[in-house]
Amino acid sequence: MRVLVVDDSALMRRWLKECFASEPGIESLTARDGKDALAKLDSFDPDVVTLDINMPEMDGLTCLAQIMARAPRPVVMLSSLTDAGALATLEALELGAVDYIAKPSGTVSHDLKLIFPQILAKVRAAARIRVTGPKRPSRRPAAPPRPDAGPRPAAAPQGAARHDLVLIGSSTGGPKALEAVLFPLGPDFPVPILIAQHMPKRFTKVFAERLTQQGALPVIEVTGPTELRPGAAYLAQGDADVQVSRRRDRLVATPVPANPELVWNPSVNHMVATAQAVLPPGRLLAVLLTGMGDDGAAAMTRLHQAGGTTIAQSEASSAIFGMPRALIEAGGASRIIDVDRIAYTLMRLVAG
C-alpha cells in the first residue's frame, strides 16, 4: 500500500513517515503542501492520501477538490480540534474525503505517535474504499423514487406513531450517511431520533449546527439532560457516552463519562442498552450505519431478539461495512437497506 503524507510541518511529515516505515507492506512519500502533493500524485499514485487542512501555498480543502477532480482516491484528513478545524473537516467529507484524524494537540502535535494505531487503522480501512468523486447531498429531497414504493407516506399524527424512539449508530462514513437519512425528514417526523456518531466533542457541536442549517429537521447536541421530543434529532456529545432514561414519563438523554473499556465513543451499544432498559423493545427502532468495528451490533442483536426492529445499512451503500456486517452476521438485523432508502423506511414504520 502506498500512502502520500501531506503536511506543511516537517516534524509531522518525518514522524508519520517513520511510523509508516515500521509497518510491513506500506510505502510512504511526503509532500509539504497541496501543490507539492498534486505534483507527486501521478508519479507516486498513492492508494491513500493523508492530508493536513491548514497549509500555505495550497490548503487541504483546495488540494482535496483537485484530487477528487483529477484522480479520485481515498483521502483521510488531519485537522486540529478547534471549531474551525471541525468545520473544515466536515466540508472535506462533503468534498469526498473518506475519514479524518483529529490531531490531539494542535497543528504540530508532539504526541501524534500516541494515536498512530488509530491512524494506521483508518488508513488501512480507507484503502479498501472505492472512491468515485464527491457527491454533495441534496437538501431535503423527496423520498427516493421506486416503482413499487408508492407515494411518500404522510407522517403519523404525534401520539399515533408506532414507536417511541429511533436510535442511530454510525462511525466512519457516518456524516454522509446521516445526511442521507436525516435530510428527507422534517419537523413533522413524529418520533425523536437519538444518534451516536463516533466523533470528538468539538466536532459534534459543529456537526449538529451544520446538519440543522442544511436540513429541515433540527439537530440538537446533547450537552446535558435533554428531553427527547418528536420532530427533532439529538446528537450525542463526543468524548462521552449517552444514556436514555425516563423522568416524569418523559424520555431524557444525558451525557455520561465515557467508559474507558469501550474502544469507541459515544458508544452505540451503551445508547441502545439504556434505551431498551426504559422502553419496551417493540417501541424502539434502531439503525446501524457505516463504520469500522462492531459497536452497536451486540446491543441491537439483543433488541432484535427481544422483539425490536433493527435496520442495517447495506454493504453496497456503506463506506465501511464493519458495524452493519457485525449486526447482520449476529442475526440481529430485521432489515438490510441502502442508505438512501432508510429515511423512507423509517417514515413507513413509524406510521404503521
Side-chain angles (χ1 to χ4, degrees):
M1 179 171 63
R2 293 182 298 278
V3 180
L4 179 62
V5 175
V6 188
D7 200 301
D8 66 315
S9 165
L11 185 60
M12 293 293 97
R13 295 197 300 271
R14 179 166 61 83
W15 280 354
L16 285 170
K17 186 169 180 62
E18 288 175 356
C19 288
F20 283 125
S22 67
E23 297 295 323
I26 295 182
E27 178 186 358
S28 65
L29 184 70
T30 63
R32 63 182 180 274
D33 55 37
K35 283 188 176 180
D36 191 25
L38 294 177
K40 295 175 177 176
L41 195 64
D42 293 335
S43 59
F44 185 57
D45 192 23
D47 299 294
V48 181
V49 178
T50 69
L51 183 57
D52 190 21
I53 288 180
N54 298 310
M55 296 182 294
E57 295 294 326
M58 180 185 288
D59 64 38
L61 290 179
T62 304
C63 180
L64 173 64
Q66 292 288 326
I67 291 173
M68 291 297 114
R70 287 173 44 175
R73 65 198 64 221
V75 176
V76 178
M77 306 302 295
L78 273 73
S79 70
S80 58
L81 280 170
T82 63
D83 284 356
L87 181 58
T89 301
L90 294 173
E91 291 175 354
L93 294 175
E94 287 194 359
L95 285 170
V98 299
D99 205 351
Y100 63 89
I101 298 157
K103 291 183 178 181
S105 54
T107 303
V108 180
S109 289
H110 295 276
D111 49 359
L112 193 67
K113 286 186 176 181
L114 297 178
I115 64 165
F116 183 70
Q118 175 189 347
I119 296 172
L120 181 62
K122 292 198 172 197
V123 166
R124 289 192 185 280
R128 299 194 295 270
I129 299 175
R130 185 173 61 88
V131 176
T132 57
K135 292 182 180 180
R136 297 191 68 84
S138 57
R139 303 297 175 242
R140 204 191 177 196
R146 189 175 179 181
D148 62 348
R152 179 182 185 223
Q158 292 190 7
R162 289 196 160 206
H163 299 85
D164 294 323
L165 182 62
V166 173
L167 303 166
I168 301 178
S170 54
S171 186
T172 307
K176 280 189 176 180
L178 285 168
E179 289 176 353
V181 173
L182 296 179
F183 284 176
L185 306 178
D188 57 348
F189 191 70
V191 178
I193 299 171
L194 182 59
I195 303 162
Q197 161 71 42
H198 298 158
M199 188 175 275
K201 179 179 178 180
R202 184 77 72 169
F203 282 47
T204 51
K205 171 181 177 291
V206 177
F207 188 38
E209 294 171 351
R210 191 170 181 83
L211 288 172
T212 298
Q213 291 167 359
Q214 295 181 337
L217 188 74
V219 180
I220 301 160
E221 185 190 25
V222 179
T223 58
T226 304
E227 182 181 344
L228 302 178
R229 297 175 177 269
Y234 299 84
L235 183 67
Q237 189 176 56
D239 301 327
D241 288 329
V242 65
Q243 184 163 305
V244 181
S245 61
R246 274 194 181 276
R247 297 187 184 181
R248 300 187 185 93
D249 292 328
R250 298 178 186 272
L251 289 177
V252 173
T254 306
V256 296
N259 185 339
E261 296 181 0
L262 300 176
V263 177
W264 304 104
N265 302 105
S267 165
V268 183
N269 275 325
H270 185 84
M271 174 184 68
V272 175
T274 60
Q276 190 175 347
V278 298
L279 284 170
R283 302 296 297 181
L284 288 169
L285 254 173
V287 181
L288 199 55
L289 300 177
T290 173
M292 286 192 294
D294 60 1
D295 185 26
M300 287 194 191
T301 297
R302 290 192 293 269
L303 176 63
H304 172 75
Q305 292 170 344
T309 301
T310 56
I311 296 172
Q313 183 177 345
S314 67
E315 181 174 10
S317 67
S318 295
I320 298 290
F321 194 46
M323 286 163 51
R325 182 196 298 277
L327 178 62
I328 294 166
E329 291 181 348
S334 307
R335 300 165 184 244
I336 304 168
I337 303 175
D338 289 346
V339 70
D340 61 358
R341 299 292 307 171
I342 291 176
Y344 183 83
T345 302
L346 293 178
M347 287 187 279
R348 289 183 61 121
L349 289 173
V350 300

